[in-house]
Amino acid sequence: MPNSALSYRNLRFVLEMLRNRFYTHRPIFLSHMITALCDCQCEICNYWKLGKEDEMTTKQVYQMLVEAREIGMTDYIIWGGEPLLRKDITEIVAYANALGFDVTIITNGSRLIERVDEFGDDLYGLIVSIDHPEPRVHDQLRGREGIFQRATEGIQKAKEHNHLNIFVNCVINKENVGRLEDMARLAQKLGVKVSFEMMEKIKGYNEQLVLTEPQIIKAALSLLRIKGKGYPVANSTAYFRALAGRCQYSCQVPKVLVTVQWNGRVRVCSNIVEEAKSLSIDCELGNITERSFKEIFESRNYVEYVRRAEECWKCDLSYPREISLIYSFNRDAIGNFISKILQ
């Protein structure tokens, strides 16, 4: 992608973000769990257990993308499962890029070596999941032997597309919380940035890996020190400070990002779902193959979802906290965000 095109898209993104913040309050990020299929059996998430169920067709994905651009969305984030298992991923990435989306893929890296040249020129960002600096432990966490080597080799292959913004994403859990600086060192060695993400708790599945409150605080303080040393850490210092201080925040995610699942269902945050169930409240937003984004965003359930989210601060995931910090005009969070999109 030429530098002039990137500069235009970066400027467009900033303008759309300002428009979102002060006027529309409608998502500009389209997060797409494009498949539930996965070739790993991770200890930290159970998406691999979902299997394939009514996956959106290529044509349905195209229709969704056209509508998303028409209402002002600028960024398309593809994940799974393992998105590179979709045979049509190359065509979808090319189509989204041609529409003007900045396209990012999140992958475990298992098929990156073989496939990155198919779509690399049409990508804006690439995020590769690596959760431990030791290959053996990472392979164990991901439930697949050799996945560390394939992921790191895939990153090196992807770097041949020198316009790509490449990140390693590390999900923090009890197995790696003592090796965070080593993870930052690994990213530095690979020549990419690293983003740290707190693990999402899944009842009955990964509780044994969830950090305690003191461990979360200690990890956040450690990450502040690591970022201060100059390692290529993508998260903002404001996020780490908020995490260490266990600060409350008003979640603004539904105003900025919408998630569509593999079957077209528009996803609602699990915390809001649990609360709604306890109150016998209908929180379903519908399916994008049956309802338009415009209908969904104007629905009573969506308005209620936004309201309930604003009152929530239950999770420590980075993106809700980072978005809330940007919305509250935190200078460090805004500066960190702009540096990522303008790099």
Side-chain angles (χ1 to χ4, degrees):
M1 192 181 300
N3 288 334
S4 59
L6 281 174
S7 298
Y8 165 76
R9 288 192 179 185
N10 288 335
L11 176 60
R12 178 204 64 186
F13 176 81
V14 171
L15 292 175
E16 285 295 337
M17 190 69 180
L18 290 171
R19 184 167 171 263
N20 160 272
R21 174 63 179 85
F22 294 107
Y23 178 61
T24 65
H25 308 297
R26 291 291 182 263
I28 60 173
F29 290 96
L30 173 55
S31 171
H32 189 194
M33 187 183 180
I34 201 166
T35 182
L37 291 175
C38 192
D39 49 6
C40 287
Q41 296 183 3
C42 299
E43 294 182 13
I44 57 177
C45 91
N46 65 349
Y47 291 145
W48 60 273
K49 288 190 170 187
L50 297 176
K52 184 175 181 179
E53 176 193 342
D54 301 325
E55 217 170 68
M56 291 174 70
T57 66
T58 309
K59 183 178 179 180
Q60 287 174 326
V61 173
Y62 287 176
Q63 290 173 337
M64 174 186 72
L65 290 170
V66 168
E67 186 192 346
R69 279 297 296 132
E70 286 176 347
I71 62 174
M73 294 191 203
T74 63
D75 284 63
Y76 180 44
I77 304 158
I78 306 171
W79 55 291
E82 173 46 49
L84 301 194
L85 292 177
R86 285 244 348 188
K87 294 180 180 179
D88 58 358
I89 192 68
T90 297
E91 291 75 20
I92 288 172
V93 170
Y95 191 82
N97 181 55
L99 287 174
F101 278 103
D102 287 338
V103 186
T104 295
I105 285 180
I106 304 175
T107 174
N108 63 31
S110 64
R111 303 195 175 199
L112 196 53
I113 301 169
E114 294 87 354
R115 302 209 65 180
V116 68
D117 284 342
E118 297 176 22
F119 49 72
D121 289 344
D122 290 316
L123 272 189
Y124 175 80
L126 177 69
I127 301 173
V128 184
S129 300
I130 301 180
D131 299 315
H132 203 281
E134 292 184 26
R136 177 188 58 81
V137 182
H138 175 70
D139 291 356
Q140 178 184 320
L141 284 168
R142 291 281 161 175
R144 178 168 176 176
E145 187 176 351
I147 190 68
F148 179 94
Q149 182 175 347
R150 292 193 63 80
T152 52
E153 289 179 356
I155 288 171
Q156 296 299 351
K157 179 68 175 175
K159 286 174 67 179
E160 294 175 9
H161 301 267
N162 55 20
H163 71 282
L164 266 179
N165 298 306
I166 305 176
F167 298 81
V168 164
N169 186 68
C170 174
V171 178
I172 302 174
N173 59 79
K174 285 187 176 180
E175 287 289 338
N176 64 14
V177 69
R179 303 294 300 276
L180 301 182
E181 186 164 357
D182 290 331
M183 278 301 308
R185 192 174 290 115
L186 172 65
Q188 189 174 61
K189 181 180 177 181
L190 291 169
V192 300
K193 286 192 173 185
V194 58
S195 59
F196 290 96
E197 184 62 89
M198 300 304 297
M199 187 183 74
E200 189 171 4
K201 180 180 177 181
I202 303 170
K203 291 181 180 179
Y205 186 75
N206 65 2
E207 287 102 333
Q208 75 281 3
L209 295 173
V210 176
L211 300 189
T212 63
E213 286 285 312
Q215 285 176 321
I216 292 172
I217 294 169
K218 184 177 179 180
L221 293 173
S222 177
L223 288 167
L224 271 172
R225 177 180 55 78
I226 291 166
K227 188 173 176 74
K229 285 184 174 183
Y231 285 106
V233 176
N235 311 78
S236 70
T237 55
Y239 167 59
F240 294 143
R241 289 194 185 105
L243 198 59
R246 313 307 292 139
C247 299
Q248 295 187 22
Y249 65 95
S250 175
C251 180
Q252 306 292 332
V253 168
K255 296 179 183 177
V256 178
L257 178 147
V258 61
T259 297
V260 176
Q261 296 185 163
W262 67 94
N263 54 7
R265 182 171 172 265
V266 178
R267 186 179 183 184
V268 177
C269 166
S270 58
N271 288 322
I272 305 297
V273 170
E274 288 300 316
E275 179 187 6
K277 281 182 179 178
S278 68
L279 298 171
S280 299
I281 294 172
D282 178 16
C283 64
E284 287 293 320
L285 297 178
N287 193 299
I288 198 61
T289 64
E290 301 167 353
R291 303 182 73 189
S292 69
F293 280 123
K294 186 175 185 297
E295 287 177 303
I296 290 169
F297 296 154
E298 292 177 353
S299 69
R300 180 181 301 176
N301 282 10
Y302 183 80
V303 172
E304 180 65 12
Y305 177 34
V306 171
R307 187 191 69 78
R308 288 186 177 278
E310 288 177 330
E311 297 174 354
C312 183
W313 59 282
K314 291 180 180 178
C315 73
D316 288 321
L317 297 175
S318 63
Y319 68 93
R321 283 188 176 272
E322 295 275 19
I323 287 171
S324 73
L325 287 164
I326 291 168
Y327 253 69
S328 62
F329 295 102
N330 180 279
R331 185 170 59 183
D332 174 70
I334 291 173
N336 189 75
F337 180 72
I338 290 174
S339 72
K340 285 194 290 186
I341 66 169
L342 295 182
Q343 60 183 319

